[in-house]
Amino acid sequence: MPPRLPLGAHRALSSPSVVQVQVRLQRRSASSSPTSSDIYDVVCVGGGPAGLSLLTGLRASPVTSGLKVALIEGQDLQKNRLQKDASLESFSNRCSSLTPASVRNLQEIGAWSHANTARIQPYQEMQVWDGVSDARISFDWDSARPLLSARKPSQPTTIAYMIENINTTTTLLSRLSELGGVDIFSPTKVESIELGTDAEQLDLSSWPILTLSNGKTLAARLLVGADGANSPVRTFAGIPSRGFDYNRHGVVASLKLEGPGWGGLDHKIAYQRFLPSGPLAMLPMPGNMAALVWSTTPERASKLKSLSPNDFVAMVNAGFRLSATDLEYLHTMPSGQEEEIAWREKHTPANERSIPMKVTDVQQGSVASFPLKMRHADVYTGERVALVGDAAHTIHPLAGQGLNQGQGDAAALVRTISHAVQTGQDIGSVLALESYNSERYAENNAMLGVCDKLHRLYSVESGPIVGLRSLGLRAVDAMGPLKGFFMDRAAGRA
Amino acid sequence: MASSRSPRVLHNLQKLAVQTSRHPLFPRTPRVLPTSCAVRLSSTQSSPHQPPNSSVDPTEVSHFNALASSWWDPHGPSRLLHLMNPLRHEFITRCRTTVPITIPTTPSQLRYLDIGCGGGIFAESAARLPGTLSVTAIDPTPEVLKIAEAHRRRDPTLLVDGRLTYLNQSIEDLTPPTSPAEGYDVVTIFEVIEHVNAPGPFLERVLQHVKPGGWLVLSTIARTWTSWVVTNVVAEDVLGIVPKGTHDWEKYVNETELREWFGKRGWGSNGGMKTMGVVYVPGLGWKEVPGGEGWGNYFFGVRRDS
């Protein structure tokens, strides 16, 4: 006779890495029914733009406002808020370009009206060019209209909105506190996530149980990982995330220009120059301010960060004006770039009105860098788990789509949860979550692929590829409808 | 006439359910037991062998026993039933919100009776809806009901007293309401009548449980040449995934037959009969197809007027 397995052994065998924890359930009178205090419908780990947008969407909809929701954030959300009277001479170096689709979603969940609009800069034009061949494409809604058709008054003029990430999160937090009803644990860390147990009355063996640094335990019908690229929730769910490092760093800085830009305050322009080491972008901020994102090699990134403010400013100006060869040499200089560049610029003809206005100053302490990666989780959902934002995907910043993808994820997950609630499904079940995964995975994957290919295409310094890509760029530039198609995609209107 | 099925055939039925998850027109796994002979709904055909109470076939019980463990597997044999479930709610909502204003509206907190509940896919979902007062779900197969009971324990919402009650009973055993007003607001019979021996007498027993102004909602598959080709010829002869004789195509009930049957009993007047044809599209899921009730899977809802 075969030996009998002890009770519950199959469970231990099927998930050897998972420690079984007993959920603390308050027992009332004779019955052992669980109190609802520790049981949540949605527990969101991570209070970044994606997680906050998800919770705001859930609270704002009458369909999902009955759900019991919690937010866990390791940072102090109250301290990390944008001050109402913050100076317009100083901007955070962590900015994003919000697409009209993301803004529309923020409007729909009632958040956009809470935004500090004085610190948001819409832009109407985008200039992109090849740093090797100088082939150029300009994006604005006027030149993207169908051939021979008149401009419609309803046609949008804004390509995207530059906004500090702290403004986005503060906006969402303001809306959330107006809505109320979220149990916020901040600053609180997640100590562990384990599966629950099959108790006498209630079987929580498929429910994630979170133990927090404040000693509380929460059981989650649906656990949302909005906890960034190294998502502990994703690790708990055993979902692999694949990808690679670009061996590039993104250098960011808050800059001051000599003026508001060539189009004035009402027609702001974003610039991106594709250099062989990576794209260099200057995004307009309110007034004379601008945000820099310079993707380059780790060595050059640390060189740039080590420069004096004057040399750094000169390097940024050179980045938009001088040749790749000049730039290579300038990066090898220990210091004195400012003078060297002044001399070289005299001998390099440039059409000043097609490149950003000159940088005059860099905000102290705003120069920083981060490694560029491409990562994509194999799947966004598991039993009682869903991933949003960077926990699901990390993208090259060259198209400014990262934050927008997270907003798209949040909106899609709200839709999926709404449908599940309306049709009585368990919102944590694999079946209920399927539509979220199928809706978002393909779309994000396509965007990840496009940005990756663009990066690779423009890393080439010479040869036929340079000619072909320049031809392609010029061709797209000449064809209004095709350009309109690309702009629609970038604006999230596809 | 189909005779009682061997366990081998039943095993294949389960296999069919797995394989058919890619096919639009196949009936899903039966939840109520087919008995020995096929009789159409129409009153002109009746079965001399029909027992007064449909009995539970022991071989069917063993079939459901085998199926039970995979009932809640999202990729198991019941996947198509799971995918169809949201549509059931959409259809019920559609029925209840298109009532002519002359009929008194039913209360906001609804009482449901789900007949042939199986593992509880619909019953659980109905019990979770905010507008639900209670759900009573019945099924004659004990093993399947055990699965339903066990799965319910995974959701604290469903453990609230009186929210969801499973009864291991057939419709014949269910205590009738003491007065019509004690009946249920919504009585559901999903993917059942195509497997019921005599749909007429079966439905006759269901009627008394519906409250006046309440709705009887069912789903099934039309008996047409398309469904006959798909289930009998393609599945059994061409693909060979199902042994011959698995399907009792004659048991399928057409929407027009239901309309006539209920109309004769004075049910569903003034627009109180609704139909929704649906088709399973691989990769897209179940989709509504106008007119689909004429040739494939469909929902049918009828209101009790008095």
Side-chain angles (χ1 to χ4, degrees):
Chain A
M1 206 175 133
R4 291 177 62 177
L5 283 172
L7 206 65
H10 67 282
R11 225 174 31 237
L13 288 173
S14 62
S15 54
S17 62
V18 174
V19 182
Q20 303 289 321
V21 288
Q22 176 71 45
V23 193
R24 264 165 272 159
L25 297 172
Q26 229 172 293
R27 283 165 197 269
R28 253 191 274 170
S29 64
S31 82
S32 56
S33 70
T35 61
S36 56
S37 62
D38 286 336
I39 291 184
Y40 285 87
D41 290 310
V42 179
V43 175
C44 178
V45 180
L52 291 174
S53 181
L54 170 83
L55 291 172
T56 307
L58 290 176
R59 294 297 306 151
S61 159
V63 175
T64 48
S65 61
L67 297 174
K68 191 174 175 194
V69 295
L71 168 65
I72 302 157
E73 166 58 52
Q75 309 275 322
D76 190 336
L77 286 170
Q78 288 313 312
K79 274 191 194 161
N80 292 317
R81 288 182 81 146
L82 183 65
Q83 299 303 310
K84 277 203 175 75
D85 53 354
S87 159
L88 288 171
E89 293 296 303
S90 165
F91 284 87
S92 160
N93 59 6
R94 296 185 64 193
C95 296
S96 297
S97 163
L98 275 184
T99 61
S102 295
V103 171
R104 205 176 316 121
N105 178 56
L106 290 172
Q107 284 167 339
E108 278 164 14
I109 62 178
W112 192 244
S113 57
H114 293 263
N116 184 338
T117 45
R119 304 183 69 83
I120 300 173
Q121 183 58 61
Y123 60 90
Q124 292 77 21
E125 189 181 335
M126 205 157 54
Q127 291 283 339
V128 181
W129 70 102
D130 190 325
V132 177
S133 72
D134 270 344
R136 181 177 286 262
I137 185 166
S138 70
F139 291 100
D140 64 89
W141 286 109
D142 198 35
S143 73
R145 67 172 183 237
L147 292 169
L148 303 175
S149 66
R151 189 181 145 62
K152 285 188 226 108
S154 62
Q155 203 169 353
T157 54
T158 296
I159 290 173
Y161 302 78
M162 283 306 297
I163 183 171
E164 297 158 286
N165 290 359
I166 195 173
N167 196 356
T168 307
T169 52
T170 305
T171 295
L172 286 161
L173 280 169
S174 301
R175 174 60 173 152
L176 259 191
S177 65
E178 179 182 77
L179 290 162
V182 181
D183 290 346
I184 297 178
F185 300 94
S186 160
T188 308
K189 292 207 177 336
V190 176
E191 300 275 326
S192 68
I193 312 173
E194 288 145 343
L195 286 176
T197 50
D198 187 351
E200 214 176 304
Q201 290 267 314
L202 184 58
D203 176 6
L204 292 179
S205 55
S206 70
W207 286 52
I209 312 291
L210 296 92
T211 305
L212 308 185
S213 55
N214 63 8
K216 276 190 181 297
T217 58
L218 316 181
R221 182 186 292 279
L222 172 61
L223 172 62
V224 177
D227 45 354
N230 298 316
S231 168
V233 169
R234 192 183 63 222
T235 306
F236 159 76
I239 299 172
S241 175
R242 294 165 212 273
F244 46 83
D245 296 347
Y246 282 103
N247 194 29
R248 291 288 186 279
H249 280 223
V251 177
V252 293
S254 301
L255 305 173
K256 187 167 188 174
L257 310 184
E258 60 188 5
W262 299 113
L265 286 168
D266 297 329
H267 185 91
K268 287 275 196 167
I269 305 163
Y271 297 90
Q272 181 149 284
R273 186 187 189 200
F274 278 94
L275 292 165
S277 52
L280 165 64
M282 177 101 77
L283 293 318
M285 294 299 286
N288 295 356
M289 304 300 286
L292 174 82
V293 187
W294 192 341
S295 308
T296 187
T297 62
E299 299 75 32
R300 292 191 185 185
S302 51
K303 162 65 74 181
L304 287 169
K305 284 196 290 181
S306 71
L307 296 177
S308 70
N310 285 351
D311 284 342
F312 181 83
V313 164
M315 280 299 273
V316 173
N317 286 327
F320 284 101
R321 288 162 177 82
L322 298 186
S323 72
T325 321
D326 282 341
L327 289 168
E328 194 177 343
Y329 169 72
L330 288 163
H331 277 97
T332 61
M333 291 176 66
S335 64
Q337 278 84 354
E338 191 182 10
E339 288 163 24
E340 178 69 23
I341 289 164
W343 183 81
R344 281 175 190 249
E345 278 181 353
K346 277 183 209 150
H347 302 277
T348 311
N351 179 2
E352 282 294 324
R353 291 189 79 88
S354 68
I355 50 181
M357 277 186 168
K358 277 208 166 161
V359 181
T360 56
D361 200 5
V362 54
Q363 194 177 305
Q364 200 184 352
S366 73
V367 184
S369 75
F370 54 94
L372 304 187
K373 297 169 180 179
M374 153 124 137
R375 293 281 189 281
H376 204 185
D378 282 8
V379 61
Y380 295 175
T381 58
E383 188 167 20
R384 305 205 176 280
V385 171
L387 305 176
V388 295
D390 288 357
H393 41 72
T394 309
I395 191 171
H396 195 291
L398 65 83
Q401 293 294 332
L403 191 131
N404 295 298
Q405 285 187 315
Q407 294 298 297
D409 293 347
L413 188 52
V414 169
R415 280 194 296 278
T416 291
I417 293 172
S418 289
H419 182 251
V421 168
Q422 280 172 311
T423 53
Q425 296 180 75
D426 183 338
I427 61 166
S429 67
V430 171
L431 279 155
L433 294 170
E434 257 179 21
S435 64
Y436 167 64
N437 186 63
S438 56
E439 184 182 341
R440 292 303 297 168
Y441 188 89
E443 189 170 329
N444 285 335
N445 202 44
M447 188 60 85
L448 286 165
V450 167
C451 292
D452 180 50
K453 300 299 176 295
L454 278 173
H455 165 78
R456 283 166 202 290
L457 185 62
Y458 283 97
S459 303
V460 180
E461 287 183 60
S462 58
I465 297 283
V466 175
L468 283 173
R469 79 186 179 206
S470 306
L471 197 67
L473 203 62
R474 288 186 180 113
V476 172
D477 191 41
M479 287 185 278
L482 184 61
K483 202 152 79 171
F485 169 78
F486 285 126
M487 289 178 71
D488 273 336
R489 297 287 307 182
R493 244 194 296 273
Chain B
M1 290 285 127
S3 58
S4 72
R5 293 165 179 185
S6 70
R8 186 182 151 74
V9 171
L10 292 164
H11 173 72
N12 279 296
L13 228 171
Q14 186 183 359
K15 246 173 64 184
L16 167 74
V18 183
Q19 312 241 13
T20 54
S21 52
R22 287 181 298 277
H23 213 288
L25 285 170
F26 287 157
R28 268 82 41 227
T29 317
R31 293 187 299 164
V32 159
L33 311 176
T35 40
S36 57
C37 52
V39 176
R40 286 191 212 177
L41 189 60
S42 65
S43 51
T44 53
Q45 295 201 11
S46 64
S47 165
H49 314 298
Q50 172 60 22
N53 285 341
S54 67
S55 56
V56 174
D57 185 335
T59 55
E60 290 281 4
V61 173
S62 73
H63 165 58
F64 282 105
N65 194 354
L67 194 67
S69 61
S70 60
W71 206 285
W72 284 95
D73 178 355
H75 302 288
S78 301
R79 179 172 168 83
L80 258 69
L81 281 179
H82 284 282
L83 293 178
M84 186 189 254
N85 202 47
L87 277 180
R88 295 165 169 172
H89 290 286
E90 282 163 29
F91 183 68
I92 291 169
T93 305
R94 193 181 297 182
C95 284
R96 295 194 62 258
T97 51
T98 54
V99 202
I101 44 166
T102 50
I103 303 288
T105 50
T106 45
S108 57
Q109 292 291 87
L110 301 176
R111 292 175 65 238
Y112 286 81
L113 170 63
D114 186 29
I115 300 166
C117 64
I121 296 171
F122 175 77
E124 278 198 5
S125 62
R128 271 189 210 100
L129 293 175
T132 297
L133 183 67
S134 69
V135 176
T136 303
I138 64 169
D139 199 289
T141 312
E143 290 303 323
V144 163
L145 219 57
K146 271 185 208 162
I147 292 295
E149 288 280 10
H151 197 269
R152 177 171 78 141
R153 291 172 50 249
R154 297 158 73 104
D155 187 348
T157 309
L158 305 175
L159 297 177
V160 176
D161 268 353
R163 190 101 185 163
L164 176 58
T165 308
Y166 285 116
L167 299 173
N168 185 14
Q169 288 181 349
S170 64
I171 187 66
E172 293 83 7
D173 304 328
L174 190 68
T175 316
T178 47
S179 71
E182 298 293 302
Y184 292 92
D185 299 294
V186 180
V187 175
T188 53
I189 319 167
F190 291 126
E191 316 308 305
V192 167
I193 61 164
E194 67 270 29
H195 303 290
V196 165
N197 172 23
F202 169 76
L203 287 175
E204 202 78 65
R205 293 198 169 267
V206 173
L207 298 181
Q208 58 183 330
H209 295 283
V210 185
K211 178 194 260 186
W215 284 80
L216 173 65
V217 176
L218 58 83
S219 61
T220 186
I221 183 167
R223 183 184 71 258
T224 60
W225 66 270
T226 41
S227 65
W228 183 81
V229 167
V230 169
T231 56
N232 290 40
V233 181
V234 178
E236 298 182 9
D237 295 333
V238 180
L239 298 177
I241 56 173
V242 185
K244 281 201 73 78
T246 295
H247 287 100
D248 289 327
W249 176 76
E250 292 85 356
K251 281 183 179 171
Y252 297 176
V253 178
N254 284 347
E255 185 253 356
T256 49
E257 293 163 334
L258 287 169
R259 281 187 180 271
E260 190 192 330
W261 195 88
F262 281 100
K264 273 185 190 161
R265 281 154 184 82
W267 282 46
S269 56
N270 298 320
M273 278 194 220
K274 301 273 168 224
T275 316
M276 178 169 83
V278 292
V279 65
Y280 181 77
V281 186
L284 294 175
W286 288 96
K287 295 287 161 199
E288 183 177 354
V289 186
E293 63 273 13
W295 49 267
N297 291 80
Y298 68 92
F299 287 91
F300 179 80
V302 56
R303 189 188 57 237
R304 177 172 178 180
D305 292 341
S306 57

